[in-house]
Amino acid sequence: VKAGLAVLKDEEYLKKSRDTIIEWREYLTNELKKMGIRLLPSQANFIMADFGKAGEELYQALLKKGILIRPLSAYGFKTWFRISIG
């Protein structure tokens, strides 16, 4: 708890974290759009992307390459993933 409270008081760290998330969210959004992947607009530290293929299959293929994304099939979005940034 103390560490969490200390981080919240560290404005320089918070600004750096926020700037990093914004930079990489914009980069990843642009790159995925170039690939024709449908995205929902995001102001958060993650992107929701529709890869147009069954979630579990793509999840396993990316996991084998060391890329961890979260399938959203449990929420009824069978071809969508949550990609965290940061």
Side-chain angles (χ1 to χ4, degrees), residues 36-49:
I37 303 215
R38 192 171 84 165
L39 305 168
L40 293 180
S42 177
Q43 295 296 312
N45 67 335
F46 64 89
I47 295 171
M48 285 182 62

Side-chain angles (χ1 to χ4, degrees), residues 1-18:
V1 173
K2 287 183 180 182
L5 292 173
V7 166
L8 291 174
K9 292 178 183 177
D10 187 344
E11 295 202 21
E12 183 178 328
Y13 174 80
L14 291 174
K15 182 183 180 331
K16 182 179 178 185
S17 294
R18 183 176 48 247

Side-chain angles (χ1 to χ4, degrees), residues 2 4 7 13 17-18 26-27 29 44 53 56 59 62 64 66 73-74 77 83:
K2 287 183 180 182
V7 166
Y13 174 80
S17 294
R18 183 176 48 247
E26 184 177 315
Y27 171 79
T29 295
K53 103 188 264 193
E56 188 62 28
Y59 172 79
L62 290 173
K64 287 178 183 177
S73 55
F77 300 98
I83 304 168

Side-chain angles (χ1 to χ4, degrees), residues 12-82:
E12 183 178 328
Y13 174 80
L14 291 174
K15 182 183 180 331
K16 182 179 178 185
S17 294
R18 183 176 48 247
D19 291 347
T20 298
I21 289 168
I22 291 168
E23 176 186 352
W24 284 100
R25 183 182 61 219
E26 184 177 315
Y27 171 79
L28 186 55
T29 295
N30 290 333
E31 293 302 310
L32 290 170
K33 283 182 178 179
K34 287 179 191 176
M35 296 170 61
I37 303 215
R38 192 171 84 165
L39 305 168
L40 293 180
S42 177
Q43 295 296 312
N45 67 335
F46 64 89
I47 295 171
M48 285 182 62
D50 181 1
F51 285 85
K53 103 188 264 193
E56 188 62 28
E57 180 184 335
L58 183 59
Y59 172 79
Q60 292 298 330
L62 290 173
L63 186 60
K64 287 178 183 177
K65 295 181 180 236
I67 300 169
L68 184 60
I69 60 176
R70 183 177 186 187
L72 297 174
S73 55
Y75 301 99
F77 300 98
K78 293 183 183 196
T79 59
W80 288 79
F81 292 86
R82 175 184 164 142

